[in-house]
């Protein structure tokens, strides 16, 4: 069976178990069947509980899609993308980080974007504003709840800020993340 379908099946079974009341929310977070592959040498696979056990950071995420639909603000919790890159062997100034999902969507981060620089930021009227400190996280929790599949969960890239009124472009917010690759430049 194709890996994508296995994963989808696992998510559907998990959702069915939740809907039927078999699992409380706390149990559900521990039992999410979703892996993240860190492509490197050697390749390393992190399970969802392993990711949740890593040092966590929190912040506000508020995005706008290409067609101008705003999504947020919400409070997100997750793991710094830079921490995952370190676990994949680290990245130098000329390396690129590919973050992707089974639907074929891919976002490529250069060293500056990894540091949270070079993102476009907007106010609530979608006027461009100078970027405050931004961090990129692999989020697993939104407003204290596990990130739902329809919101790009269980794992989604989110660009976070310290204040709830900063909007960032939605395109780097990769949904359903299952793979991270370091490409040597
Ligand atoms: N896996 C995946 N992630 C994705 C996309 C996609 O097509 N597939 N679209 C991106 C783009 S271009 C935008 S604007 C936002 C849209 O987020 P939304 O579907 O929550 O509105 O998701 C981003 N993440
Ligand atoms: Mo988009």
């Amino acid at each position: 069976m194709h890996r994508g379908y296995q994963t989808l099946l696992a998510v559907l079974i998990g959702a069915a178990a939740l809907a039927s009341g078999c699992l409380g929310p706390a149990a559900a977070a521990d039992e999410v069947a979703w892996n993240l592959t860190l492509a490197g040498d050697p390749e390393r696979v992190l399970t969802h509980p392993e990711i949740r056990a890593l040092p966590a950071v929190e912040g506000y995420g508020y995005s706008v899609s290409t067609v101008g639909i705003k999504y947020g603000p919400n409070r997100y919790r997750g793991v710094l993308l830079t921490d995952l890159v370190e676990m994949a062997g680290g990245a130098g100034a000329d390396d690129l980080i590919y973050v992707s999902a089974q639907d074929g969507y891919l976002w490529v981060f250069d060293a500056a974007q990894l540091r949270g620089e070079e993102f476009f930021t907007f106010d609530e009227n979608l006027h461009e504003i100078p970027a405050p400190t931004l961090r990129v996280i692999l989020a697993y929790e939104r407003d204290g709840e596990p990130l739902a599949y329809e919101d790009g969960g269980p794992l989604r890239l989110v660009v976070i800020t310290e204040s709830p009124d900063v909007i960032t472009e939605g395109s780097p917010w990769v949904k359903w993340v299952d793979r991270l690759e370091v490409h040597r430049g």
Side-chain angles (χ1 to χ4, degrees), residues 82-173:
T82 49
D83 285 353
L84 295 169
V85 170
E86 287 308 313
M87 293 176 79
D94 295 328
D95 296 340
L96 297 174
I97 307 301
Y98 288 26
V99 180
S100 59
Q102 279 288 317
D103 68 343
Y105 194 79
L106 165 73
W107 191 260
V108 179
F109 291 81
D110 63 12
Q113 278 204 333
L114 257 193
R115 290 193 299 267
E117 299 164 9
E118 295 183 357
F119 290 107
F120 291 103
T121 46
F122 309 91
D123 65 17
E124 308 246 19
N125 300 315
L126 299 182
H127 293 132
E128 196 176 342
I129 54 170
T133 300
L134 301 172
R135 292 183 295 176
V136 186
I137 65 171
L138 185 66
Y140 48 75
E141 207 174 279
R142 196 185 77 164
D143 298 331
E145 300 287 338
L147 188 58
Y149 190 81
E150 60 267 27
D151 291 316
L155 297 175
R156 182 179 195 170
L157 281 192
V158 174
V159 180
I160 59 169
T161 64
E162 294 303 313
S163 70
D165 52 4
V166 176
I167 300 177
T168 64
E169 284 178 291
S171 37
W173 289 43

